[in-house]
Amino acid sequence: MGRWEPDAKGRMVRAAMELFAERGFEQTTAGDIAERAGVTERTFFRHFADKREVLFDSSRTLERTAVEAILAAPADDPPLDAALAGMLAAGGLLEGRHEHSVRRSAIIAANPGLQERELLKLAALAEATADALRSRGVADPAATLAAQSAVTVFQVGFARWVSAEDPPGIGVCITDAAAALRALR
């Protein structure tokens, strides 16, 4: 290894995304990622438990952001509105990361194991959202229904955002998906 360079984690994420796109997820090792990023394999494992976590590392931040926004929503907001405020806040973390999100989505779509992991992360987001609503005094089944609905709105908005060539911001995509849900009444 050469001289120390800053932003090892960011370099590893960029290297992983490049390698996953070039070789495929299964054909890329943690050692390959570390080498391309100019770090040791040991450094890689200090930042990530495994190569999958490169794609899912920000899930906890997204979840925490959603929960904080739900808890900060006006007390008189209906449960779905509070949950959607959380999804909009979470989506805000992705603004300016469209290209990365498109590449990440393509990598996940190409690997059934990663698709399963993505569904597990979304289920965890829904559960955290329901817990935040319960903390606001929303009882079940309303808390669970609002949480599941809001996460579905997030998924639909995100899918539109990553599939469009010149999309509006992700917040607009989430808001449009929420309007479509409300129109189902």
Side-chain angles (χ1 to χ4, degrees):
M1 288 296 119
R3 185 177 170 277
W4 176 85
E5 294 180 41
D7 191 26
K9 189 171 189 175
R11 286 184 292 137
M12 287 185 286
V13 168
R14 288 187 295 279
M17 296 297 284
E18 291 167 4
L19 288 165
F20 295 159
E22 291 168 16
R23 300 179 185 175
F25 178 80
E26 294 295 336
Q27 292 72 34
T28 302
T29 67
D32 295 335
I33 297 166
E35 182 179 336
R36 172 120 2 141
V39 299
T40 64
E41 203 167 336
R42 181 182 216 166
T43 297
F44 177 88
F45 287 113
R46 274 200 297 266
H47 290 275
F48 303 105
D50 58 41
K51 67 182 181 178
R52 292 175 305 176
E53 280 306 304
V54 172
L55 296 167
F56 298 102
D57 184 58
S58 61
S59 297
R60 287 180 294 280
T61 302
L62 191 127
E63 188 178 300
R64 184 174 53 251
T65 300
V67 166
E68 288 170 359
I70 292 164
L71 296 175
D76 60 345
D77 269 6
L80 182 59
D81 289 351
L84 289 170
M87 297 307 108
L88 283 167
L93 296 174
L94 302 174
E95 287 294 347
R97 297 182 50 97
H98 184 257
E99 184 180 323
H100 173 85
S101 297
V102 168
R103 291 173 75 189
R104 179 185 176 277
S105 282
I107 292 162
I108 291 169
N111 185 290
L114 295 175
Q115 292 171 24
E116 180 181 13
R117 182 75 166 250
E118 178 86 327
L119 291 173
L120 290 170
K121 296 292 185 173
L122 289 167
L125 176 60
E127 188 55 38
T129 298
D131 286 344
L133 291 171
R134 288 183 201 105
S135 293
R136 290 172 54 93
V138 178
D140 273 315
T144 300
L145 287 167
Q148 292 289 338
S149 297
V151 171
T152 298
V153 163
F154 179 85
Q155 286 179 274
V156 170
F158 180 83
R160 175 182 167 213
W161 185 62
V162 296
S163 65
E165 205 166 291
D166 188 25
I170 188 167
V172 171
C173 293
I174 293 170
T175 300
D176 289 350
L181 174 67
R182 286 189 167 105
L184 295 175
R185 293 182 200 184

